[in-house]
Amino acid sequence: MTHLTDLLTAIVSGVDPGPFALLRRDGADELELFTGTVDTVERLADIPLTPGVSGAQTLALVPYRQISERGFACVDDGAPLECLRIRDHRRIALADALAMLPDEQVRTTDAAFDITDEDYSRTVHRVLAEEIGRGEGANFVIHRTMHATVQGPPLVAALAALRRLLVAERGAYWTFVVHTGTRTLVGASPERHVSVDDGLVMMNPISGTFRRAGDTPDRKALLRFLADPKEVEELYMVLDEELKMMATVAEHGGQVIGPYLKEMSHLAHTEYLLAGQSTRDVREVLRETMFAPTVTGSPMENACRVIARHERRGRGYYSGVLALVGHDDAGRQTLDAPILIRTAEISPAGRLRVPVGATLVRHSTAAGEVAETHAKAAGVLAALGLGPAAPDRGGEPVARLADDPEVRDALAKRNAPLARFWLDQRSPDAPKLPGLVGRRALIVDAEDTFTGMLAHQLGALGLEVTTRPWHAGGSVDGYDLVVAGPGPGDPGSPDEPKMVAMRKLLGGLLATGRPTLAVCLGHQVLAGLLGLPPHRRDAPYQGLQREVSLFGRTRRVGFYSTFTARSEADRLDTAYGPVELARDSGDGAVHALRGRGFAGVQFHPESVLSPDGLAVLTELLSDLLPAPRTDELSATGGRA
């Protein structure tokens, strides 16, 4: 059974047609129909992908629980990693598909969220106070689920909902139905998580939710939305988090393109495009990018702990991905993976689930985040008869707010305060910092993969960089520089294993005099060892950009911190010699410090929020690793 008419005939007759997927990609004037068999595998590496076979081979349904492959926390609900092994691939004109798909109202009963608005509000308050307020991260996504029961054949309902989404929804990256026999997914996901084509990796972080009111686009309201500090900072934070992922999977990190406005029927989002070249297996790319910060939070590893702590139940396929893998005609691997959001899951018995989440940041309000969950679910709920449909324009073209000159200007201005290192095309052959070429740096990662971005910046300056997790231990011999990296948590905790390990690392580095750079959490621990114990800020500095005075220069940099050291003086005498402090003139917060053989910065020089970050690193490393003298070069045969 390979053609849409045969498949629909079987479904209407009450016959299970077997596994299939029917999908429309962004802007396509056709639908793709995949049929085949379904296998269940344990790991992403096991997703079938046969060399030498061109075309789409497997469509994998990747549940959220696969995050455990990275060693991250999750509530394991047993949702399987199902793989549709494609035996036949057909293309159907969009108009023909719309004429064939069932045009009927989906009917449901017993519709209700599993968590009431009031209970969700209380969860928002707890996460803001107990997690963001205590330094556990910059943002977290907490979900709730609409449950209902479908009346009538579930597959007919799913295909009718698909038709409504194809007609009424716009701006989706994929609009789809996937049926495996054990479940049916139907949705219109706005967001590409990751794709690979000819070695080019692309990601599309989306953030901010502008709710459309009525049929007429409200230009003034959109401009207010684009200027809203919460919305701007939220997008910058997910941009930073996905740049961390690109730093891992792309040889030279990711280049930032955009931002753009993604307009849908009920709402609009802002988005960036990230691009970078990679030679990795596409399944490895998929594994290293599990899962998008737009549906989890940052830093990623601790976000997973926070999700498990506050949701206390599995996510199923919500925030996972559909992953279509195969080969192009030249034999190169391909991957196309939309995020499983704005998606309903229907069981063979007709049980319906529609999960939806909101991103909680330091500016969040409970009422605003409750409203965001309703807005995000509106499109798929309307297709399922559980909410009002978008206005029917009778085939008239939809006015695009993104074409308005003031809107374009407002979007372009979002890049003005960002680091050009990530916005501009970078050449691997760019000049390096004299004195660093051939020298080795070790970055100790304290559970924040900002270290991947930091590694690219240090590499661009000329260092050969190795990254090691905090718990791996090992010698620091053979490295010219050790970087104590960033991470979440309370630096003053006396017995938390990570903090104990970081204090031991930095204590040893101070004792031996090995050149040391400490960033964010590393800086806080270093400051504590020097006699400046960190304090919790009155308001978190999560995703905050500031101009600060650093040793006589004004620098614009980005902070992701809840704790800070404080001092009443610009100089500190320690057992390791005098230490110079760059501190806030108002509250004494220590933004940076430097002494003989060591330096620390509270901010993230590698962040997209740090336009002066590379200049700061250049200055600090020039002091920590000065260029060898001429007589030293002669003694080593010219090697630095």
Side-chain angles (χ1 to χ4, degrees):
M1 192 171 300
T2 57
H3 197 273
L4 182 58
T5 51
D6 297 332
L7 183 143
L8 293 176
T9 299
I11 291 172
V12 171
S13 301
V15 176
D16 189 331
F20 73 91
L22 189 60
L23 62 94
R24 182 194 183 197
R25 305 197 211 201
D26 188 12
D29 58 2
E30 63 183 14
L31 271 67
E32 297 175 77
L33 173 62
F34 301 106
T35 55
T37 59
V38 168
D39 295 331
T40 299
V41 299
E42 291 296 320
R43 304 175 305 149
L44 294 174
D46 300 327
I47 294 174
L49 183 56
T50 304
V53 179
S54 63
Q57 291 187 32
T58 303
L59 178 64
L61 283 67
V62 183
Y64 176 74
R65 66 185 288 265
Q66 293 302 132
I67 198 75
S68 62
E69 284 195 43
R70 298 186 66 186
F72 295 174
C74 75
V75 176
D76 190 347
D77 56 9
L81 172 51
E82 294 188 319
C83 296
L84 172 61
R85 303 190 70 164
I86 298 166
R87 297 288 181 262
D88 192 82
H89 179 193
R90 300 289 180 102
R91 301 179 188 275
I92 304 111
L94 176 60
D96 293 341
L98 290 174
M100 288 185 278
L101 289 168
D103 184 8
E104 59 185 65
Q105 179 75 33
V106 179
R107 301 191 182 281
T108 61
T109 58
D110 308 320
F113 275 110
D114 60 343
I115 299 173
T116 66
D117 287 358
E118 293 76 17
D119 286 342
Y120 190 79
S121 295
R122 283 190 281 271
T123 300
V124 171
H125 282 300
R126 283 198 304 273
V127 172
L128 294 177
E130 298 173 11
E131 308 296 353
I132 295 176
R134 294 181 181 175
E136 296 301 322
N139 55 85
F140 302 108
V141 180
I142 304 298
H143 92 286
R144 59 202 297 226
T145 301
M146 172 73 77
H147 289 271
T149 301
V150 172
Q151 302 301 294
L155 264 180
V156 174
L159 291 167
L162 173 66
R163 188 184 189 283
R164 285 176 172 263
L165 289 169
L166 290 169
V167 171
E169 192 53 275
R170 60 192 179 102
Y173 183 66
W174 274 25
T175 308
F176 58 88
V177 161
V178 179
H179 174 66
T180 67
T182 56
R183 72 199 77 252
T184 303
L185 303 181
V186 55
S189 174
E191 186 169 357
R192 167 188 16 211
H193 175 47
V194 63
S195 65
V196 181
D197 188 10
D198 192 16
L200 181 67
V201 180
M202 292 187 287
M203 301 180 75
N204 266 115
I206 289 177
S207 187
T209 302
F210 173 67
R211 294 178 282 276
R212 296 170 63 96
D215 188 24
T216 305
D218 189 336
R219 175 175 163 278
K220 290 183 178 179
L222 176 62
L223 291 172
R224 289 194 298 270
F225 162 80
L226 292 176
D228 186 327
K230 172 191 179 294
E231 304 296 348
V232 174
E233 289 181 12
E234 186 178 318
L235 182 60
Y236 289 162
M237 284 190 278
V238 298
L239 175 60
D240 255 335
E241 195 67 23
E242 295 213 356
L243 275 170
K244 297 177 191 179
M245 293 179 172
M246 290 293 290
T248 301
V249 300
E251 275 76 12
H252 303 292
Q255 180 186 359
V256 178
I257 306 165
Y260 306 103
L261 185 71
K262 175 173 279 292
E263 297 180 77
M264 305 189 77
S265 296
H266 291 83
L267 42 80
H269 304 288
T270 46
E271 68 173 347
Y272 277 99
L273 172 66
L274 308 183
Q277 288 290 329
S278 178
T279 56
R280 291 186 179 226
D281 185 288
V282 293
R283 292 161 294 191
E284 188 177 354
V285 170
L286 191 58
R287 180 187 180 278
E288 293 299 323
T289 59
M290 287 194 297
F291 282 113
T294 52
V295 287
T296 51
S298 65
M300 179 67 66
E301 185 168 359
N302 211 44
C304 293
R305 294 192 190 105
V306 170
I307 288 168
R309 195 152 54 229
H310 290 272
E311 292 186 347
R312 298 194 295 265
R313 65 199 189 286
R315 286 188 162 198
Y317 294 88
Y318 169 70
S319 70
V321 297
L322 291 174
L324 183 64
V325 299
H327 292 92
D328 63 17
D329 291 340
R332 295 167 297 216
Q333 292 183 347
T334 60
L335 167 68
D336 195 6
I339 301 176
L340 282 169
I341 52 176
R342 320 294 161 80
T343 298
E345 180 180 345
I346 309 174
S347 76
R351 292 300 299 164
L352 171 70
R353 299 177 68 254
V354 184
V356 62
T359 302
L360 313 187
V361 298
R362 63 190 179 92
H363 290 305
S364 289
T365 64
E369 303 307 339
V370 167
E372 183 164 323
T373 62
H374 286 281
K376 287 179 175 177
V380 68
L381 290 180
L384 293 162
L386 291 168
D392 184 357
R393 303 183 62 89
E396 294 179 15
V398 178
R400 278 173 39 90
L401 288 167
D403 294 331
D404 183 276
E406 283 197 64
V407 171
R408 289 202 305 268
D409 184 58
L411 288 167
K413 285 180 178 176
R414 286 194 168 189
N415 285 349
L418 301 184
R420 298 308 310 181
F421 182 86
W422 303 109
L423 296 172
D424 296 336
Q425 186 72 41
R426 301 189 303 279
S427 170
D429 301 323
K432 313 296 184 184
L433 189 66
L436 295 189
V437 176
R439 292 187 170 186
R440 301 180 65 211
L442 171 67
I443 300 177
V444 178
D445 186 340
E447 294 184 357
D448 189 339
T449 49
F450 259 132
T451 49
M453 295 169 66
L454 187 58
H456 279 291
Q457 287 198 327
L458 296 180
L461 292 174
L463 289 167
E464 298 176 9
V465 183
T466 300
T467 301
R468 177 192 297 170
W470 67 268
H471 51 78
S475 173
V476 297
D477 292 343
Y479 294 100
D480 301 284
L481 173 75
V482 177
V483 181
D490 181 348
S493 175
D495 52 10
E496 201 278 318
K498 180 173 65 179
M499 303 309 169
V500 173
M502 295 298 284
R503 282 192 287 270
K504 180 179 179 181
L505 168 72
L506 282 159
L509 292 169
L510 286 172
T512 60
R514 188 178 299 275
T516 300
L517 174 65
V519 178
C520 198
L521 177 66
H523 165 85
Q524 294 164 5
V525 174
L526 174 62
L529 293 174
L530 296 173
L532 297 172
H535 301 270
R536 182 179 288 116
R537 291 184 181 275
D538 294 333
Y541 268 29
Q542 295 289 354
L544 179 68
Q545 187 184 67
R546 278 198 57 189
E547 281 192 352
V548 297
S549 177
L550 294 181
F551 311 119
R553 294 176 181 265
T554 299
R555 295 299 191 188
R556 194 164 188 83
V557 291
F559 290 80
Y560 286 86
S561 62
T562 299
F563 295 88
T564 184
R566 290 197 176 98
S567 175
E568 297 179 355
D570 295 334
R571 179 185 168 93
L572 180 69
D573 290 319
T574 75
Y576 309 101
V579 177
E580 185 180 2
L581 307 176
R583 61 190 188 90
D584 192 281
S585 59
D587 63 3
V590 178
H591 301 315
L593 60 83
R594 60 184 181 185
R596 188 169 57 247
F598 60 86
V601 292
Q602 179 59 76
F603 50 86
H604 286 263
E606 73 281 5
S607 167
V608 75
L609 291 173
S610 294
D612 295 326
L614 196 64
V616 171
L617 286 175
T618 299
E619 292 164 6
L620 294 176
L621 293 179
S622 295
D623 288 338
L624 292 172
L625 297 174
R629 299 190 308 271
T630 304
D631 57 339
E632 292 176 335
L633 288 173
S634 299
T636 60
R639 298 185 304 275

